[in-house]
Amino acid sequence: MTLLARLASDVQLMFRRPPRQQYAALCYRVKKKTGNLEVLLMTSRDTGRWVIPKGWPMARKCAYEVAAQEAFEEAGVHGTVEMESLGYYTYRKVLRDGLKVTCKVQVYALETTNVAKNFKEKGERVVEWVSCDEAVKRVQEPELRNLFLAFKQRMTERLSNGISKQIPAE
């Protein structure tokens, strides 16, 4: 590597910002009649790609509480959210001013107990319940695909053992 290329690389590293933090809910339900696991996907307002409910940190709220609130505001979902994260994924977000930033999204499982008829962003997104396999086909972010696959495996084991570990959202 030439000296000029090395300097350019070092300068880029100096000005690189850490990822912006967001929190998300992987909302799920188990159909009573069939026992099938379904997860919630919705379209983003800006690009129309398939995503899960997510948002920025909020004052005086824990990460999992933010995830639960975003699930309600964006998809009308109420439920019990786990305090421990499933993991995270990253994506590139284009801000209103055109700046592109990397966002790191910490994901929390939320077992859906109720879906509201009216909620803040109703009509702004398409909301669908799908299988984990269908979710993997629809989302663009490879790390989010992997979270869906790991969640499917975890839930398959949990459902076969009859174990549940959810904690109510506050």
Side-chain angles (χ1 to χ4, degrees):
M1 185 183 297
T2 67
L3 179 61
L4 191 55
R6 170 114 191 227
L7 282 172
S9 174
D10 289 349
V11 168
Q12 281 182 328
L13 286 174
M14 281 186 342
F15 290 105
R16 185 179 296 161
R17 291 184 174 169
R20 308 262 180 111
Q21 184 68 59
Q22 290 187 310
Y23 303 111
L26 192 159
C27 305
Y28 71 96
R29 65 186 183 188
V30 178
K31 298 294 279 185
K32 287 181 181 162
K33 289 183 181 178
T34 62
N36 291 340
L37 173 66
E38 293 182 324
V39 293
L40 182 138
L41 286 182
M42 60 185 200
T43 54
S44 67
R45 290 187 295 185
D46 51 355
T47 64
R49 73 188 195 289
W50 290 103
V51 297
I52 59 177
K54 66 181 171 301
W56 303 105
M58 297 177 191
R60 296 179 298 284
K61 284 199 183 290
C62 298
Y64 65 90
E65 292 171 321
V66 172
Q69 183 167 331
E70 292 296 336
F72 178 68
E73 289 179 4
E74 296 182 356
V77 171
H78 285 288
T80 53
V81 65
E82 293 182 7
M83 292 171 60
E84 191 173 321
S85 170
L86 293 171
Y88 71 91
Y89 70 98
T90 56
Y91 77 103
R92 298 280 290 166
K93 180 172 184 65
V94 180
L95 300 178
R96 286 189 182 107
D97 61 6
L99 182 67
K100 291 180 182 177
V101 297
T102 299
C103 292
K104 179 180 178 182
V105 185
Q106 203 71 37
V107 180
Y108 296 85
L110 186 147
E111 183 175 14
T112 302
T113 55
N114 184 38
V115 179
K117 287 187 178 11
N118 293 306
F119 50 94
K120 188 175 180 180
E121 296 184 16
K122 182 178 181 172
E124 297 179 30
R125 307 168 181 275
V126 175
V127 178
E128 290 186 19
W129 289 95
V130 299
S131 68
C132 285
D133 292 335
E134 181 62 25
V136 167
K137 292 177 190 172
R138 291 190 190 187
V139 299
Q140 294 177 358
E141 298 81 5
E143 295 161 316
L144 182 53
R145 288 184 189 132
N146 290 339
L147 284 175
F148 277 119
L149 291 172
F151 183 73
K152 177 186 173 186
Q153 181 177 346
R154 180 184 112 171
M155 288 302 294
T156 300
E157 292 168 6
R158 216 178 245 189
L159 292 169
S160 68
N161 293 332
I163 299 170
S164 184
K165 183 189 154 189
Q166 282 71 41
I167 297 167
E170 296 178 8

